[in-house]
Amino acid sequence: MKEKHLRIRIEQCLALAKASNCPRRKFGALLVDPERNVILMDGYNGGPRSGGALCGGDTCLRDTMEVQSGTRMEIGCHHAEMNVVCNAAANGVRCRDAWLIVTGEPCILCAKLIHHAGIKRVYVIDGGYAGANGVEYLSRHGVLVTPVEGPKDPRLNA
């Protein structure tokens, strides 16, 4: 994929994150075919499919409970990476050899899902949300992780 097209896909991923209704963090993820330069599937973090309340309503339950980033993954909304892989599975879209662009570092559970889905490269928009993550897991298991420039985590400037 040409650098120019990758930059456009990164901008699309950042725009997609705005669709999230999570009060804490807004993540987007795009599954792309690098050879044809097409988006295969998209996803963003939020509540369950077909509606349903978010875990804490207007307040993030993870914040209320003071859950450390990267822990207690059963608490909180569905992650963008989880949604994009599940959306692909639900629609018969192949993940193997695809690339994933995501607006922050995947958690360990999403990293495992990414690896087992056969995604071969992950672009992590650098400066995304900090915290415990699955980048080391992905790298250890042969998934190429490439940081790309993006907006900074607003919590780091506070």
Side-chain angles (χ1 to χ4, degrees), residues 114-115 119-122 135 138-145:
I114 290 164
H115 168 242
I119 294 168
K120 69 178 180 180
R121 186 171 195 166
V122 177
V135 169
L138 290 170
S139 296
R140 250 191 354 254
H141 289 87
V143 178
L144 181 60
V145 178

Side-chain angles (χ1 to χ4, degrees), residues 13-145:
C13 191
L14 289 165
L16 175 65
K18 295 176 184 176
S20 170
N21 55 0
C22 177
R24 182 177 191 211
R25 300 180 187 176
K26 299 187 180 308
F27 275 87
L30 288 180
L31 186 70
V32 298
D33 178 332
E35 291 181 21
R36 296 182 297 140
N37 183 28
V38 295
I39 296 172
L40 299 172
M41 194 58 58
D42 64 15
Y44 53 86
N45 64 323
R49 183 179 302 287
S50 301
L54 286 170
C55 61
D58 292 336
T59 314
C60 179
L61 190 56
R62 294 181 65 79
D63 285 342
T64 303
M65 296 176 65
E66 298 180 1
V67 176
Q68 181 182 357
S69 183
T71 66
R72 303 280 320 268
M73 301 316 298
E74 76 278 9
I75 299 171
C77 64
H78 299 169
H79 291 186
E81 304 94 327
M82 177 194 308
N83 279 337
V84 77
V85 171
C86 290
N87 288 343
N91 289 285
V93 174
R94 179 182 167 133
C95 292
R96 188 180 318 144
D97 297 328
W99 291 0
L100 183 70
I101 301 169
V102 65
T103 59
E105 299 170 347
C107 75
I108 189 66
L109 292 179
C110 286
K112 289 178 176 182
L113 186 65
I114 290 164
H115 168 242
H116 287 280
I119 294 168
K120 69 178 180 180
R121 186 171 195 166
V122 177
Y123 284 93
V124 177
I125 299 176
D126 193 30
Y129 286 96
N133 63 71
V135 169
E136 183 182 330
Y137 175 92
L138 290 170
S139 296
R140 250 191 354 254
H141 289 87
V143 178
L144 181 60
V145 178

